[in-house]
Amino acid sequence: MYRQGDVLIVPVTEGAVPSHVPDAPREPRDARGRLVLALGEVTGHAHAVPGRGELVREPGPYGPFLLHLPEGGRVVHEEHAAIALPKGWFRVIRQREYVPGSVRLVAD
């Protein structure tokens, strides 16, 4: 399990990847060619994967994402140390906070 700020990255075995994922649409890369796992609404900084990989958004209001890194990779952010990830599948979960009457993503 890995954490970078408000992003939790959990390894997923190949057998636990949902059957619809191979045919699911992939998230596009940003203008810098990165897979953005979470974008800071306040700072504009991003938790992102600059190398090879694919990102699939799961249904629901808060994601989560499924990240596939066929050769491993790194998660980078302007204010955090980079995290090296081995090859494989990962569930990317954004931290949420309770606000009376609802739940929202933590604002970065």
Side-chain angles (χ1 to χ4, degrees):
M1 196 173 327
Y2 308 86
R3 179 174 289 284
Q4 188 183 63
D6 58 340
V7 175
L8 179 65
I9 303 166
V10 181
V12 176
T13 64
E14 187 83 28
V17 174
S19 60
H20 73 275
V21 168
D23 299 321
R26 295 335 196 214
E27 289 291 305
R29 291 179 177 269
D30 71 358
R32 294 169 55 185
R34 306 172 304 171
L35 295 171
V36 176
L37 308 180
L39 182 63
E41 298 83 4
V42 176
T43 63
H45 295 159
H47 300 274
V49 176
R52 288 194 53 207
E54 298 176 312
L55 190 60
V56 178
R57 181 185 298 271
E58 286 289 280
Y62 301 116
F65 288 113
L66 284 171
L67 172 65
H68 183 229
L69 298 175
E71 299 171 358
R74 292 180 318 124
V75 180
V76 298
H77 186 278
E78 292 86 344
E79 297 174 333
H80 300 284
I83 297 174
L85 297 175
K87 68 180 182 178
W89 285 92
F90 302 88
R91 187 169 303 281
V92 179
I93 304 166
R94 294 278 311 272
Q95 183 175 339
R96 295 178 284 270
E97 62 186 350
Y98 174 75
V99 177
S102 70
V103 174
R104 67 179 179 201
L105 293 174
V106 172
D108 186 10

